[in-house]
Amino acid sequence: MPTKHTIVALVENKPGVLNRMASLFRRRGFNIESIAVGLSETPDLSRVTIVVDGATTMVEQVRKQLAKVIDVVRVSDISDTDLVARELALIKVKASSVTRSEIMQIVDIFRANIIDVGTDSVTVEVTGDEDKINSLFNLLRGFGIRELARTGRIAMTRGGSNSLREKEAPKTHTRKPKT
Amino acid sequence: MKMTGAQIICESLVREGVDIVFGILGGAVLPFYDTLPQFPQLHHILVRHEQGAAHAADGYARATGKVGVCFATSGPGATNLVTGIANAYLDSAPMVAITGQVARPFIGKDAFQEVDITGITLPITKHNYLVLEASSLAKTVKEAFYLARTGRPGPILIDVPRDVFIEEAEFHYPSKIDLPSYKPTLEGHPAQIKKAVKLIDEAQRPVIIAGRGVSISGAYTELKQLVETAQIPMVTTLLGIGSFPESHILNFGMLGMHGMAYANMAVDAADVIIAIGMRFDDRATGRVSGFAPNARIIHIDIDPAEIGKNVRVDVPIVGDVKAVLKELNKLVAPTERIKWVQQLEDWRKEHPITEDSHSAGLLPQYIVHQIYQMTKGDATIVTGVGQHQMWAAQHYWYDKPNRFISSGGLGTMGFGLPAAIGAKIGCPDSTVWLIDGDGSFQMTIQELATIAQENVAVKIAIFNNGYLGMVRQWQELFYGKRYVATSLTCPDYVKIAEGYCIPGVRVTRREEVIPAIAQAMAASGPFLIDFLVEPEENVFPMVPPGASLIEFIERPRNMVKALSDSAKLPVSNI
C-alpha cells in the first residue's frame, strides 16, 4: 500500500550527488513528490528532504540503497516519528483595487505575508505544513492565480536529538502545543 | 615532486600493487599511454575491443582476488566498457576502470568523442569520479582502489579529461582514506549471532546456501568448520561454486534453475536456511513464494541492502562473512544429523547428476567430464553464458576456490574469452580452460588476437551446436518448438584460430575427445577445440520459469507433465 514517506539525508556537497540519489527513485518508478536541498549544520554537508509516495517495503529498499551511495553520509526515513515539517510557498494572485483588501484579510488569517504588490497583483508568502498551504491556495484561487512556487517539505524530528545523528530516530516526544 | 596527471595515475597504480592493465588507447588517453613506458612495472595488455578489457580485468580480479584495472578512451571507448562494468557490478567484482574524457574546455559541448560516462555508469558502478584537476588524482585513485576491494566489492570508474593527464601537480600519495560516509559493517551484531546459533542448534533439517561472498571474504575454513561441526548439509549458488569442496560429502552442489535436483529438494525441505554471502537471485530461488516454504532464514551479508530485498528473513546478520562465521563457530554446538544427511544422500542417489548415456552422440556433459578427468579437477574453468555454462557448472567438480569463473548476475554472453585471458594472465601457473558456446564465443571472438599477441596459454573448448542453445531450449520447451532466430551459421573455428596462428582441432565423435584434450594440454600455448556437439541437447534438471525449486524437470521421464503444469504458472522474470 503506497503511503507518503519523508526521507531526510545528509550528503556531501559535491556535483552529481542529487543525480545519484534521484536515480535510485527513478529506477523503481517512484515519483518524487518534493525534494528540498540546502545547507546543514555541518559545513560541506547538505541536507536533503525527499517526500515520496510508495509501498513501505520499496521505500525501505530505496533508503538502504541511498545509504550505500558513497556521498550520502546519513539517511533516515522519519515518516513514523513525531516530526515538525514545513514548506514555504510564494503565490502571485490577481488583485484589483476592489479585491485587494479581501485578499489581505485572508492572508492575515493565515499569518501569511504580502511581499510584493503590483498594479494588478499581489505576491503572498506563506509558511506552514502542506494542508495550510493548500487551504490558502484554494481560497486565493477564486481571485485568479498567476503563479505558484513551493519549496517542498523540510522536516525534523521533535525533541532535542538530531534526526540524523541518532541510530534510530526517537519515536515519541511530548508534542508542543500547536501555535 | 611535480608530476603530470598521467604520471600521477601510473605512480598511484604502482603504489596500489597493480602490475597488469587491460585497455585500448585513443585520442583522449594518448597523453596517458605516452607516459606508460616510464613505468615498466605496469604491463599493458592490448585488447581488441573495450568490452574485452573490462571482462579481462574482471576475470583477472576473480582469479587473483586483486583489483582488475582497465583503460579506455573517451566516447565509444568508454561506452564499450559499459557491459563489462555492469557485469562486474552485478557479480561484485573489484575493478577500477579509467577512461579518458575530452579536455576540460570541451566538456558539455558535445565535442568529438564526448559522452557523459560518469552519468552513464552511475547505476552500474559502486562509485565514479570525474577528476577536474591533476592535484586530486592521487587521492581519487587511492579511494577508488579502497572502495573497489572493501565492503561489497564492485567496479569504480575514474573519468579523466585529456588536459588533466598533461597538467602538472605535486604528487602526494595519501596514506589514509578519508571517507566519512563509507564504513562497511564488518562484525556481526552479537545478539543476532546468538539468535542464529539458537536457530541452528534447534534445527532438524538445516541447509547452508553459500554464495560468492564466501570466496570474496576468504571464509573457506570458517565455512568448513561450521558445516562439519554442526553437520549442516550445504548447497551453493552458481557463483558460490568452489567456496566449499564439491567432492565433500556434505556439499550437495548448486541450487537453482539448473541446480542439482537434490540441492533444490534439500532447500525445499529445510527447516532452517543459513544464507551466506548470497543475494537470493531469482535464478537461485525459483518462485519466491514457494522458496524454502518451511524454513526460517538466517541471512549473513555485508550489504545491508540485500537483507529482505527478495526474500523475508528471520535473522539478518550484517557483516563480513568471515568475521561472522568465526563468531558463529565459537557458539554453535557440535551436532549429529544422521537422519537428515542420510535423507539428502538418498535423494542424491535417486537423482544423479551424471548423465552422458542418453545419446550415443557427442554430448557436452561427456566432454566436461573428460576435461575434469584429464585436468584432475585442478583447472580454472571460465565460461560464457548459456547451456555450456550450466554444463560446466554441473559436471566439473570444483574443490578449490575461484576455479569457476562465470558471469552470473548479468548473464553476459561473450564474457568467457576475455575473462579467460584475464584469469590466465593473473594466474600464469594454473591451467585455464575456456568452455564456451558457439553463440557466446562469437560475441567477443576478436580477443583471439589478444591471445595470439600475448601468447596467452588458454585452452578453448567450443561447444558448437549451431544454435543459441539456451534460448533454443526455451523455444523448444516453452514456445512450441518454434526456433525463431536461434539457428547460427558458424564459421570454421579451427580455420579462424589458424588465422591467428592458434593451433586447433575439430572433434565430431566421442572417441576423439580424449586425444583432442590431451593435444590441447600438451600444447605450450593456446589451443582451440571445436566440439560439434549434439545440436538439440538440453540442460537438465530445469526449474521452469515461474516454478518453485521443487518443481524441477528432469530428463524426459517426467517432462511432459511438468511442462503442462508450468504453462499455468504466474508471470516471472524470464
Side-chain angles (χ1 to χ4, degrees), chain B residues 13 34 65 90 146 193 204 212 348 385 428 506 526 529 537:
Chain B
L13 292 178
D34 193 47
L90 269 281
Y146 178 71
I193 291 178
Q204 300 297 310
R212 186 165 137 70
R348 171 141 59 188
V385 167
R506 169 171 287 179
I529 310 173
E537 177 59 18

Side-chain angles (χ1 to χ4, degrees), chain A residues 46-47 63 82 127 152:
Chain A
S46 302
R47 174 144 175 153
R63 188 197 62 75
D82 194 2
T127 311

Side-chain angles (χ1 to χ4, degrees), chain B residues 9-66:
Chain B
I9 293 177
C10 290
E11 182 60 34
S12 305
L13 292 178
V14 171
R15 301 262 178 128
E16 289 298 326
V18 174
D19 49 6
I20 302 285
V21 297
F22 302 90
I24 304 189
L25 77 176
V29 285
L30 253 173
F32 173 76
Y33 272 78
D34 193 47
T35 308
L36 261 184
Q38 300 168 24
F39 294 85
Q41 308 97 312
L42 300 173
H43 180 179
H44 179 265
I45 308 286
L46 176 67
V47 293
R48 294 300 184 275
H49 184 286
E50 289 84 355
Q51 185 185 350
H55 288 328
D58 188 338
Y60 174 90
R62 295 188 205 206
T64 62
K66 296 197 278 185

Side-chain angles (χ1 to χ4, degrees), chain B residues 281-448:
Chain B
D281 178 82
D282 53 78
R283 286 296 190 268
T285 60
R287 189 176 72 240
V288 170
S289 59
F291 175 77
N294 308 309
R296 279 181 291 173
I297 296 176
I298 301 163
H299 189 189
I300 305 169
D301 203 286
I302 197 161
D303 182 356
E306 289 301 343
I307 306 288
K309 185 179 78 176
N310 295 337
V311 166
R312 61 175 171 83
V313 171
D314 300 277
V315 182
I317 307 177
V318 176
D320 175 52
V321 165
K322 194 181 173 95
V324 172
L325 289 186
K326 262 189 187 151
E327 292 307 310
L328 267 183
N329 284 337
K330 286 181 194 160
L331 302 171
V332 166
T335 315
E336 295 275 299
R337 302 186 206 268
I338 298 162
K339 235 176 101 184
W340 173 228
V341 174
Q342 187 55 50
Q343 172 69 76
L344 297 193
E345 210 41 66
D346 292 345
W347 286 339
R348 171 141 59 188
K349 286 204 184 77
E350 287 161 23
H351 302 270
I353 186 68
T354 332
E355 45 166 28
D356 55 12
S357 54
H358 55 278
S359 154
L362 184 53
L363 287 176
Q365 299 94 323
Y366 173 79
I367 301 166
V368 176
H369 192 63
Q370 293 312 316
I371 295 176
Y372 171 71
Q373 294 283 347
M374 294 183 68
T375 56
K376 302 190 169 56
D378 202 26
T380 298
I381 304 291
V382 185
T383 77
V385 167
Q387 289 182 312
H388 68 277
Q389 176 191 29
M390 292 301 128
W391 286 315
Q394 290 175 335
H395 299 283
Y396 198 99
W397 293 68
Y398 302 87
D399 279 350
K400 292 184 183 163
N402 303 327
R403 291 297 176 86
F404 176 71
I405 295 177
S406 196
S407 165
L410 194 65
T412 314
M413 289 175 70
F415 172 76
L417 183 56
I421 294 172
K424 180 64 187 176
I425 287 173
C427 301
D429 297 332
S430 57
T431 305
V432 175
W433 275 84
L434 167 66
I435 294 180
D436 216 343
D438 48 331
S440 210
F441 187 66
Q442 286 188 79
M443 289 208 177
T444 47
I445 194 169
Q446 76 285 346
E447 300 307 333
L448 283 174

Side-chain angles (χ1 to χ4, degrees), chain A residues 17 23 28 30 33 38 43 68 70 74 80 92 114 117 131 136-137 149 151 155 158 161 163 171 173 179:
Chain A
V17 179
S23 77
R28 290 167 179 82
F30 283 4
E33 197 162 293
K68 277 173 71 175
I70 307 292
R74 275 187 201 82
D80 290 338
K92 192 178 285 181
I114 288 173
V117 181
D131 285 349
L136 176 60
F137 178 78
T151 58
R158 284 182 187 272
S161 61
S163 328
K171 300 280 181 205
H173 278 287
T179 47

